[in-house]
Amino acid sequence: ALAAEVFEALEAAQIVCHFRPQLSTDTGEVSGMEAVPRWLHRERGILTEAEILPAIDSEGLRERLAELMFYQGFGALRSWQRVGLPVSSLSIGISPEVLSNPKMATRLKWELERFDIEPERLRLVLSGGAISRFDDEVIRRNLVHCTALGCQLELAGLGTGEVPVSAIRSTGAQRV
């Protein structure tokens, strides 16, 4: 039922970027933020990514969701910087569908420049699905270009399926 509403929800800004703090285990201080989608549904209340992503996927809207997450996430990061909040990094999940776009890295570079965000402050979160497709030339090239810009890579969801250790090592990820 959500699939019929998801495009309109994206365009009407009902799906928004929500931020979860990431804490340093050494200091207990906020070391960054993770951006996750939330749907402010008029009848069902606040929906999480577990409820949103199946509808997004069924309608083929992963790239549109990524645009929204980058736009809102970078806007927040820039605002926090302007008011002096010490948020050093922003983690944003990126799907294989988005990584499969040959223009993804170029678009990301443009967005970083537009918001005046240092690439080192962005952490792209790769799921097990993205890692298992690391042999795809376009995905690999996009990740190489993103890391060459200075973006960091994180791995997530590794306990949900089989991902060879060699594939994990080949990503060059800095955090799990």
Side-chain angles (χ1 to χ4, degrees):
L2 291 175
E5 303 174 55
V6 73
F7 177 78
E8 183 180 315
L10 279 166
E11 298 309 309
Q14 294 172 4
I15 298 178
V16 298
C17 196
H18 177 82
F19 301 96
R20 293 192 291 217
Q22 297 173 321
L23 304 176
S24 167
T25 56
D26 293 334
T27 66
E29 299 292 320
V30 173
S31 62
M33 290 287 191
E34 179 182 14
V36 293
R38 293 290 184 261
W39 186 341
L40 310 176
H41 197 277
R42 61 183 166 266
E43 295 169 7
R44 298 183 186 196
I46 299 173
L47 304 179
T48 67
E49 63 264 36
E51 299 162 295
I52 298 168
L53 293 181
I56 293 284
D57 289 341
S58 72
E59 297 300 304
L61 295 170
R62 279 289 184 141
E63 288 195 65
R64 179 66 183 109
L65 178 63
E67 288 174 5
L68 178 138
M69 297 299 290
F70 285 127
Y71 181 81
Q72 290 183 8
F74 291 169
L77 194 58
R78 181 176 58 190
S79 294
W80 296 327
Q81 182 176 321
R82 286 182 179 161
V83 297
L85 291 176
V87 177
S88 63
S89 66
L90 179 66
S91 298
I92 298 179
I94 190 155
S95 70
E97 295 81 6
V98 173
L99 288 168
S100 295
N101 181 336
K103 297 181 181 181
M104 178 265 168
T106 303
R107 175 74 193 256
L108 180 59
K109 181 177 187 254
W110 182 82
E111 290 286 352
L112 288 163
E113 290 172 354
R114 175 167 80 138
F115 282 92
D116 195 26
I117 302 292
E118 300 87 0
E120 298 77 18
R121 297 182 70 196
L122 176 62
R123 297 180 181 276
L124 298 173
V125 181
L126 308 175
S127 67
I131 298 165
S132 65
R133 292 184 49 194
F134 201 67
D135 59 345
D136 178 292
E137 182 60 33
V138 175
I139 290 175
R140 182 182 294 274
R141 187 173 56 246
N142 274 327
L143 290 173
V144 165
H145 287 293
C146 289
T147 56
L149 286 172
C151 300
Q152 306 292 307
L153 299 180
E154 293 183 358
L155 304 180
L158 296 179
T160 60
E162 287 189 33
V163 178
V165 173
S166 61
I168 294 170
R169 286 186 179 137
S170 69
T171 66
Q174 290 78 27
R175 293 186 353 168
V176 177

